[in-house]
Amino acid sequence: MSLTKTPLCEFGIKAKDFKLKSIKKKLVSLNDIKGEKGTLLMFICNHCPYVKAIINDLVKDCANLLKKGINSVAIMSNDSKNYPEDSFDNMIVFAKKNNFQNIEYLIDQTQEVARSYGAVCTPDFFGFNKDLELQYRGRMRELKNLRPIKNGESDLKTAMEQIARTQKGPRNQVPSMGCNIKWFK
C-alpha cells in the first residue's frame, strides 16, 4: 500500500465520457448516470483500507445526495489479476455487503477511464455540477488511524450540496488520500 494524495481541483474541467460494465452486467455511460443537479464520480476498490474506513458513511451520503439531485457512480480501475480481491465477482460481493443501492459500481478493465480522469488513489472523488464541470476533488472526511473523525457532515457531502445549490464547489478543498491505483505492469 502506497499512500497517495489527490492533486488540487482543476475547476471547470469537463467530465470525460465512458461506457463501462456495471455489476448489474449492463453497459453504463456518463450520460446514463448524470444527475439533475450534479454528479459524483469516484474511483474506489474493494480491498483498500481507506475505502473500507469510509464506505458506510459514503453509502449514506450518496443516498442523501440522490434526494438533492446528485447521482453517484463508483469505478474500480485496479489491476484485479494481481489484486484478486478487486475482481468483478468481488465487486458484486462488496456492493451487496455495503448496500450500494444508490451507487452504480463499474469496472474499468483497461484503466483508460482512470487515466483519462487523472485518478491517482482510492478513494479519489470528482464532484461535477449539472453541466459536468469539475467543482470538487477533495476528501470525504478526515481520518485518524483509518477511522473517520465525525465532526459534523462530511466534506464531500457539504461540497456536493453546495454544488447542487450554486453549481460551484468550495474554493478550499483538502485532498483525498488513499492507496495508489494498482496500474497494470
Side-chain angles (χ1 to χ4, degrees):
M1 169 176 76
S2 176
L3 179 62
T4 304
K5 290 185 179 182
T6 57
L8 297 175
C9 181
E10 294 183 57
F11 289 96
I13 299 266
K14 292 293 265 185
K16 287 147 185 81
D17 199 14
F18 56 79
K19 191 167 275 195
L20 297 172
K21 184 168 117 180
S22 79
I23 60 170
K24 298 170 188 158
K25 300 181 181 166
K26 63 179 184 172
L27 288 178
V28 175
S29 71
L30 177 63
N31 195 50
D32 294 332
I33 55 90
K34 181 181 177 209
E36 179 186 334
K37 293 188 178 179
T39 304
L40 173 60
L41 186 144
M42 57 197 127
F43 291 87
I44 68 168
C45 70
N46 309 328
H47 87 272
C48 174
Y50 292 90
V51 172
K52 288 179 178 181
I54 64 163
I55 197 66
N56 290 331
D57 291 336
L58 181 61
V59 168
K60 288 176 193 167
D61 281 359
C62 290
N64 287 321
L65 292 172
L66 182 61
K67 296 173 190 170
K68 297 180 182 199
I70 298 168
N71 288 349
S72 301
V73 62
I75 300 174
M76 201 299 295
S77 298
N78 277 355
D79 171 1
S80 60
K81 181 179 178 198
N82 288 308
Y83 296 87
E85 194 174 340
D86 291 333
S87 72
F88 185 76
D89 289 340
N90 284 328
M91 288 172 60
I92 295 168
V93 171
F94 185 80
K96 186 175 183 175
K97 176 183 173 191
N98 292 292
N99 200 24
F100 276 33
Q101 291 180 337
N102 300 302
I103 303 170
E104 284 281 0
Y105 199 14
L106 314 176
I107 188 163
D108 178 15
Q109 293 174 304
T110 65
Q111 299 184 322
E112 289 176 21
V113 176
R115 290 186 192 285
S116 74
Y117 276 83
V120 296
C121 63
T122 58
D124 197 344
F125 299 104
F126 294 78
F128 295 96
N129 64 18
K130 68 178 180 179
D131 297 322
L132 294 174
E133 298 165 334
L134 186 63
Q135 296 296 316
Y136 189 70
R137 182 91 189 265
R139 69 181 180 187
M140 171 147 181
R141 66 167 63 247
E142 182 180 1
L143 294 178
K144 184 174 183 173
N145 299 320
L146 289 174
R147 298 215 186 284
I149 305 297
K150 305 232 180 169
N151 53 359
E153 300 287 350
S154 73
D155 295 4
L156 178 65
K157 183 174 182 275
T158 301
M160 292 307 297
E161 287 173 339
Q162 178 180 328
I163 292 166
R165 280 191 321 275
T166 69
Q167 296 305 300
K168 300 284 182 194
R171 287 289 159 216
N172 295 321
Q173 301 178 11
V174 178
S176 184
M177 63 179 171
C179 301
N180 62 306
I181 289 183
K182 307 307 184 227
W183 302 107
F184 299 133
K185 297 186 187 256

